[in-house]
Amino acid sequence: ALATNRRLQATYDRLGVAAAEVASATVLRPLAVDVETRIHDGSIHELEVDATQDILDLIQIGQRRGAAQSELAAARARAVAATVSLVARVELAYVDAVAANQDRELRQTAFEAAEAALELAVRQHDAGNISDLAWLREKDRREQTSVDLIRAKVDVATTRAALAEQLGLGDERAWTVAERLPDLPAVAPVLDTLEASAISASLELEALRAESEAASTRRGIARVRTVLPELGVGVAADRTD
């Protein structure tokens, strides 16, 4: 399921992009080189070369790295959250599929019992031992269990298709599920700290906090660039013939 889910793979791709942004945050802008020539009588008379390096990126490198790392943390949290969500959906679909199989078995047993009871009622009715009403009641019970069995079979097919979709399995692959669900735990879990634990472990909140930190840092960088678009140091050389 992890390897075939396209949405999850897209989340992992965004994680890779965020990791690359951390590496690029320490890369300075390329050196700007300006060459100017003056031509006299068909030949170069004067040559001037200017090389300038923008050092504002160097000054802000800590902020840029911090913002990129916060964005990477947000992408990592969202990737983990997407993975956990997919696993939870697969687990839920699996439980539904196994439960549907168990329900179908129960419905099958109930139908077979009702059919046997109807056969006995028919013989008793023919012998005059039971009334028409009692016979009709057994017949109605058998019909109801038949309808219930058909519905259970439909549920088996539906839940199996839902599980296959979550797993990314096609019709060409044969697979099975367990016959029965595990027994319930003997002791109920403690729920007193459930809310606090859920909040502290919330990957969505972690991602939002990281994104907020990254946005705040990016605003600080942009604010400086608004006031001081460029700050560079350079050297110049000229030659005159």
Side-chain angles (χ1 to χ4, degrees):
L2 298 179
T4 58
N5 189 282
R6 293 182 179 179
R7 183 173 299 179
L8 183 62
Q9 292 305 314
T11 303
Y12 289 158
D13 289 342
R14 288 193 290 272
L15 179 60
V17 172
E21 288 293 334
V22 174
S24 65
T26 58
V27 178
L28 301 179
R29 293 184 181 184
L31 185 69
V33 179
D34 183 29
V35 179
E36 183 178 351
T37 61
R38 293 185 176 87
I39 301 176
H40 182 68
D41 294 334
S43 61
I44 298 177
H45 177 66
E46 185 177 352
L47 176 65
E48 183 177 344
V49 179
D50 295 329
T52 306
Q53 175 66 60
D54 185 358
I55 64 170
L56 192 54
D57 282 344
L58 180 61
I59 295 173
Q60 294 182 316
I61 195 169
Q63 290 177 294
R64 293 168 55 204
R65 187 191 298 113
Q69 288 175 341
S70 294
E71 291 168 349
L72 175 60
R76 185 184 297 113
R78 293 198 182 281
V80 174
T83 304
V84 172
S85 177
L86 176 59
V87 171
R89 293 197 303 271
V90 170
E91 184 177 6
L92 181 60
Y94 173 81
V95 170
D96 287 343
V98 177
N101 279 335
Q102 288 186 236
D103 184 62
R104 181 190 57 78
E105 291 179 1
L106 291 175
R107 301 297 181 182
Q108 181 70 41
T109 301
F111 171 74
E112 292 173 356
E115 193 168 36
L118 177 60
E119 291 177 0
L120 178 60
V122 168
R123 290 196 296 269
Q124 290 179 329
H125 180 265
D126 293 341
N129 294 328
I130 61 173
S131 64
D132 292 344
L133 180 59
W135 168 67
L136 290 174
R137 283 176 177 171
E138 292 298 333
K139 184 178 180 181
D140 180 69
R141 184 177 294 110
R142 198 281 304 270
E143 293 301 324
Q144 183 60 51
T145 56
S146 176
V147 172
D148 292 341
L149 178 58
I150 293 172
R151 289 175 177 171
K153 290 179 178 179
V154 172
D155 287 342
V156 168
T158 301
T159 56
R160 182 179 175 84
L163 178 57
E165 181 181 359
Q166 293 295 337
L167 292 172
L169 300 176
D171 296 334
E172 69 280 359
R173 299 184 63 177
W175 53 278
T176 58
V177 296
E179 295 182 357
R180 297 192 175 279
L181 293 172
D183 295 332
L184 294 175
V187 180
V190 179
L191 303 179
D192 296 342
T193 60
L194 181 60
E195 182 178 0
S197 299
I199 293 175
S200 63
S202 174
L203 294 168
E204 182 65 25
L205 289 178
E206 181 180 345
L208 290 174
R209 282 194 294 265
E211 288 172 346
S212 177
E213 292 174 1
S216 177
T217 305
R218 295 287 186 194
R219 281 196 301 269
I221 295 173
R223 190 177 298 114
V224 173
R225 284 284 180 181
T226 301
V227 178
L228 186 64
E230 293 183 2
L231 178 62
V233 295
V235 295
D238 65 82
R239 176 180 176 181
T240 303
D241 294 331

